[in-house]
Amino acid sequence: MENYYYYILAIIVLVVVFLAIKKVASCLIKSIVMLVIIALLAYVWYYYFR
């Protein structure tokens, strides 16, 4: 049961962070965040699924 609490907390944190970025961030910050996410996904794909 404890793992469910961590998953729920992680989902809530992700939603809050997403809303904060959506409300506060400008286009430049959003672009930087998206580039970081794309770079992380490319890293994971290259090293783990190659």
Side-chain angles (χ1 to χ4, degrees), residues 4 24 42 49:
Y4 292 117
V24 176
F49 297 117

Side-chain angles (χ1 to χ4, degrees), residues 4-37:
Y4 292 117
Y5 295 123
Y6 291 121
Y7 292 135
I8 292 171
L9 182 63
I11 291 171
I12 291 171
V13 167
L14 286 174
V15 169
V16 169
V17 168
F18 175 75
L19 290 175
I21 288 174
K22 186 177 175 183
K23 291 280 186 183
V24 176
S26 67
C27 244
L28 178 62
I29 294 175
K30 287 181 187 178
S31 298
I32 292 171
V33 169
M34 288 304 293
L35 287 174
V36 169
I37 290 172

